[in-house]
């Protein structure tokens, strides 16, 4: 499979169907930073067993799911959101989608029940690629790149079907890929 689009800020990286790296198997990654020095993103469809209250103990009522953002710095927490009007901070990575912001403001919003799961997503760790690493992986057809997606995709809680949905959204050229078995050896 060859994707004509190249990685860029606000685009999705979609793993090819037979990528066996357990960190990125059937992964959908939102690119939140893309420069000559490298790329940063967050896996949107790998929910952990943790809740926000497990990693931020002072938010004892916060039952937001926490996602595995990637294998880099898994002792850090990050968030993306679509509620700039409430948080008033964050770097816009795609139309209406922001990375980070004032965590103290966010904690106050959470304590007041002023923010919902469909507005924000939390991650442990992130995905990162060195300056030429992602270019090499693109040449190896490890990733498909998409810039045609609705923001609801990013905040979807349907992580089991997200990979398939974004593949189908790429159109007929890729739709057949969505039916490939996860392990072709089981056929």
């Amino acid at each position: 499979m060859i994707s004509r689009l190249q990685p860029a800020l606000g685009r999705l990286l979609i793993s090819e169907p037979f990528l066996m790296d357990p960190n990125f198997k059937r992964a959908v990654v939102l690119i939140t930073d893309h420069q000559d020095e490298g790329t940063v993103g967050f896996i949107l469809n790998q929910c952990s067993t943790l809740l926000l209250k497990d990693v931020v103990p002072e938010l004892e009522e916060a039952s937001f799911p926490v996602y595995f953002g990637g294998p880099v710095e898994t002792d850090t927490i990050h968030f993306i959101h679509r509620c700039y009007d409430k948080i008033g901070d964050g770097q816009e990575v795609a139309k209406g989608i922001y990375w980070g912001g004032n965590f103290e403001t966010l904690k106050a919003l959470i304590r007041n029940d002023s923010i919902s799961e469909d507005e924000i997503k939390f991650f442990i760790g992130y995905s990162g690629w060195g300056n030429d690493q992602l270019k090499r992986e693109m040449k190896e057809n490890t990733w498909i790149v998409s810039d045609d997606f609705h923001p609801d995709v990013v905040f979807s809680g349907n992580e089991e079907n997200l990979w398939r949905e974004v593949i189908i959204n790429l159109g007929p050229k890729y739709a057949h890929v969505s039916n490939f078995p996860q392990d072709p050896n089981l056929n």
Side-chain angles (χ1 to χ4, degrees):
M1 291 179 299
I2 298 174
S3 175
R4 292 185 185 170
L5 287 176
Q6 292 300 307
L9 180 69
R11 290 185 175 168
L12 296 179
L13 290 177
I14 307 157
S15 68
E16 64 90 7
F18 302 118
L19 181 62
M20 289 301 148
D21 180 336
N23 293 310
F24 296 108
K25 188 172 184 173
R26 303 246 168 158
V28 178
V29 179
L30 175 66
I31 298 174
T32 55
D33 191 17
H34 183 73
Q35 300 177 30
D36 289 340
E37 299 82 38
T39 302
V40 172
F42 297 96
I43 303 170
L44 300 174
N45 60 330
Q46 289 187 11
C47 196
S48 76
T49 58
L50 298 171
L51 298 175
L52 186 59
K53 63 184 174 185
D54 299 326
V55 293
V56 184
E58 67 262 29
L59 294 174
E60 58 194 40
E61 301 298 319
S63 59
F64 293 89
V66 176
Y67 289 77
F68 177 69
V72 182
E73 293 189 24
T74 56
D75 60 342
T76 60
I77 189 159
H78 307 267
F79 63 97
I80 56 175
H81 63 91
R82 59 174 166 186
C83 50
Y84 189 89
D85 57 323
K86 294 178 184 180
I87 297 175
D89 198 6
Q91 175 189 344
E92 189 170 31
V93 296
K95 186 168 176 60
I97 301 172
Y98 301 85
W99 172 28
N102 185 307
F103 200 66
E104 293 305 313
T105 301
L106 177 59
K107 288 193 302 189
L109 290 166
I110 290 170
R111 286 187 185 110
N112 293 329
D113 288 325
S114 299
I115 200 160
S116 63
E117 283 184 33
D118 66 344
E119 295 177 299
I120 195 159
K121 210 166 202 176
F122 294 93
F123 303 91
I124 291 179
Y126 64 90
S127 300
W129 293 265
N131 59 357
D132 288 328
Q133 182 182 3
L134 190 53
K135 285 180 186 175
R136 283 192 307 273
E137 291 181 15
M138 292 299 297
K139 286 180 183 174
E140 296 166 357
N141 293 322
T142 302
W143 300 102
I144 302 166
V145 179
S146 175
D147 65 354
D148 182 21
F149 61 93
H150 192 278
D152 288 349
V153 165
V154 173
F155 298 96
S156 170
N158 187 3
E159 55 273 350
E160 285 188 35
N161 291 317
L162 185 61
W163 180 87
R164 186 172 192 279
E165 288 175 25
V166 296
I167 290 285
I168 289 170
N169 189 53
L170 292 171
K173 180 178 175 183
Y174 295 100
H176 69 282
V177 173
S178 70
N179 294 317
F180 285 2
Q182 286 198 33
D183 186 349
N185 295 322
L186 297 178
N187 279 347

